[in-house]
Amino acid sequence: MRGVFASSLALTVAACSGGGQEAKPADGNNTGGQPAASGGEAKPAETEGDQKLIIYTARDKNIFEIVLPKFNEKYPNIEVEPLEMGAQQILERVRAEKANPQADFWWGGTQSALSTAADEGLLEPYKPTFADKIPDLYKDPQDRWYGEMLLPEVIMYNSQALKPEEVPQDWDELIDPKYKDKIVIRNVLQSGTMRTIYSAMIYRQGSDTPEKGYEWLKRLDANTKEYTQDPTNLYLKMDRQEGVISLWNLQDVLIQSKQNNHPYDFIYPKSGAPILVDGVGLIKGAKNADAAKKFYEFLFSPEIAAQLAKERYQFPSRTDINKDELPDFMKNLELKPLELDWKVMAEKEKEWMQHWDENIKGKGKK
C-alpha cells in the first residue's frame, strides 16, 4: 500500500455497500462515550419535545450499532427506528411510498440507486454544512444525495502464497498467461462488486465498442480457475490456495485480513480503481425532516467518520478528516480513480453482464 492518502479525495468511488458489504465484519464493541460534534464538544439537544426518525438502511448492522447509540446520547429526544433492506429494495419501497412517505432518511445507497431516486423526484434537496468538504465526484450537483464513504475495487491475493512483486500490479497484467489457474472469482452476476469491476473492464476498453472489452474478459476467463458461489467459498478457496489471486472490495479485504485473520493483502492498480460511492439522502415529503437533518449532520461528523475508519475500515468521503485520526493504512494510500462514466456504466451493465454470462463465462480456455 503505497502513495499518500489524498487529503482531497476528489480523485474517483455505492452493495454498497454500493450499497453494502458482501462479507460483513464481525461484531465489535461499542466504544461508548459522547462524541464531539463537528463544531466542537457535543451537547444534549435543546428541549424540543419528542421526535421520531425512521431510517431505511442498507448498511451493515455493525455500522449502525456504533452510530445510533452515540446519536441518541446527543439527541435523547429523538427515537430512531432503523429498517434494514438492500439498496435496491429501498429504492423500490421509497418509489412505492412516494405519495405517502413512510421513512425520513435513506442510509446506504449506491450512486446508481440514489441518482435514480433523485431523478424520479424521491429525494429532498438539502445542502449540509459540510457540503464543500465532499468532492463533486461524490455528491449530487443538486444536493439530493451525498456520498458517505468510498469503496475502491482492488486486486486481492494470498500473502502466504505470493510476494507483492509476484502479484499483478495493474488490470492488464491479470490476463497474462502466467496467471492461468491462479485466479478465483466470486460469481459475477450475483455480486455488485464483481459486476462493477467487470463493467469497468469493458468500459475502459471503449464503451462504444464493447467487443474489445469482451475479448479482454475472455482472456481473464482463460486464467480463471473457478467462479465461487458466494464470498464464503471465495475465502475458502483463497485460504486453501486453490486460487491465490482475486478481485474484490478493498474494505472487505481489510476486514477479512485485519479482523478475521485471513492471509490476504491487496494491490491498488496503478492505473486506478473503480471507486463506488455509498451515500445517503433525505426522502422527499419526510414527516420527520428536522430529525433527519440532525442525523445527516451527525453521521458525517469528523468524529464518527474517523471512528468508522478505524473500526470498520471505511474510507470517508470528507476531505477534511484529520490524518492523525485515521488508521495508518489509510494515511498512506492514494485512492486513484479509474476514469469511468457511471451513468453509461449503469445503462450498459445489464446488457454487458448478460453477454458475459452467455458468451464468455467458462469459454475462455476453449
Side-chain angles (χ1 to χ4, degrees):
M1 301 179 289
R2 301 185 180 181
V4 178
F5 179 70
S7 60
S8 166
L9 281 175
L11 298 172
T12 268
V13 200
C16 250
S17 36
Q21 297 129 237
E22 294 183 34
K24 299 180 179 179
D27 286 341
N29 295 324
N30 183 6
T31 58
Q34 188 163 312
S38 57
E41 184 178 355
K43 300 177 181 179
E46 296 179 5
T47 302
E48 302 171 346
D50 291 341
Q51 299 180 49
K52 188 162 187 175
L53 173 61
I54 298 177
I55 299 174
Y56 287 169
T57 180
R59 299 307 311 278
D60 189 272
K61 185 177 181 180
N62 294 292
I63 301 297
F64 63 75
E65 284 185 343
I66 289 176
V67 176
L68 296 188
K70 294 201 166 191
F71 179 74
N72 287 333
E73 288 179 10
K74 185 175 183 182
Y75 296 103
N77 63 309
I78 300 178
E79 178 187 352
V80 181
E81 181 181 347
L83 299 177
E84 301 176 67
M85 61 192 85
Q88 184 63 30
Q89 290 176 293
I90 295 176
L91 173 59
E92 293 168 0
R93 187 158 176 171
V94 172
R95 181 184 285 149
E97 296 170 352
K98 182 176 182 179
N100 184 24
Q102 298 300 302
D104 308 299
F105 191 79
W106 179 344
W107 181 15
T110 63
Q111 183 177 19
S112 175
L114 288 166
S115 295
T116 298
D119 291 342
E120 293 182 12
L122 303 177
L123 301 179
E124 188 73 40
Y126 172 66
K127 189 171 185 177
T129 59
F130 52 83
D132 63 344
K133 304 300 189 295
I134 307 292
D136 291 343
L137 288 169
Y138 309 138
K139 63 186 178 186
D140 177 62
Q142 298 179 44
D143 300 309
R144 296 168 296 182
W145 62 264
Y146 276 73
E148 178 198 358
M149 69 170 182
L150 311 181
L151 295 163
E153 317 294 350
V154 298
I155 299 169
M156 176 173 74
Y157 68 97
N158 185 313
S159 56
Q160 293 179 344
L162 296 173
K163 299 176 181 178
E165 60 270 21
E166 297 175 323
V167 183
Q169 304 296 302
D170 209 349
W171 302 108
D172 286 339
E173 292 183 35
L174 289 163
I175 61 177
D176 189 313
K178 71 180 180 181
Y179 295 113
K180 183 176 181 180
D181 291 334
K182 294 184 181 296
I183 299 173
V184 59
I185 297 290
R186 160 78 162 96
N187 196 327
V188 176
L189 294 191
Q190 298 175 4
S191 167
T193 291
M194 294 312 306
R195 292 174 73 103
T196 296
I197 294 174
Y198 273 44
S199 294
M201 294 303 102
I202 294 173
Y203 182 90
R204 64 191 284 269
Q205 302 293 330
S207 60
D208 294 334
T209 54
E211 291 76 16
K212 294 180 180 179
Y214 293 155
E215 180 59 30
W216 192 96
L217 289 178
K218 188 174 182 180
R219 295 177 66 183
L220 178 62
D221 181 80
N223 282 352
T224 301
K225 185 175 183 179
E226 186 176 348
Y227 297 94
T228 71
Q229 189 63 29
D230 52 41
T232 299
N233 281 307
L234 173 64
Y235 304 146
L236 184 63
K237 299 289 183 182
M238 290 285 290
D239 290 347
R240 292 176 175 175
Q241 299 186 20
E242 294 177 21
V244 293
I245 298 170
S246 190
L247 310 178
W248 204 232
N249 177 294
L250 176 54
Q251 184 184 23
D252 286 341
V253 175
L254 294 168
I255 288 170
Q256 296 307 317
S257 62
K258 296 181 179 296
Q259 285 191 347
N260 299 337
N261 299 315
H262 290 277
Y264 306 155
D265 207 338
F266 70 93
I267 296 294
Y268 197 99
K270 289 182 178 179
S271 62
I275 304 180
L276 288 168
V277 176
D278 192 272
V280 307
L282 293 179
I283 296 174
K284 192 167 187 177
K287 298 177 176 65
N288 305 290
D290 181 64
K293 291 174 182 177
K294 286 183 171 64
F295 185 76
Y296 208 137
E297 298 286 344
F298 181 83
L299 179 62
F300 279 75
S301 68
E303 293 76 16
I304 293 298
Q307 183 175 357
L308 292 176
K310 291 176 181 177
E311 297 183 20
R312 294 294 180 263
Y313 310 103
Q314 287 191 184
F315 287 84
S317 60
R318 288 189 65 149
T319 60
D320 61 337
I321 308 299
N322 188 334
K323 289 185 179 181
D324 292 337
E325 297 298 320
L326 296 173
D328 288 341
F329 71 86
M330 203 170 284
K331 298 175 187 176
N332 300 319
L333 181 62
E334 177 188 357
L335 294 188
K336 181 180 179 180
L338 199 60
E339 293 187 10
L340 301 168
D341 187 324
W342 290 95
K343 185 175 182 180
V344 171
M345 294 261 289
E347 292 172 350
K348 295 289 188 178
E349 180 188 278
K350 183 177 180 181
E351 172 192 332
W352 289 347
M353 293 302 94
Q354 183 176 350
H355 180 92
W356 174 84
D357 186 55
E358 295 176 355
N359 302 286
I360 299 174
K361 180 182 179 182
K363 298 178 173 63
K365 297 177 182 179
K366 296 181 181 179

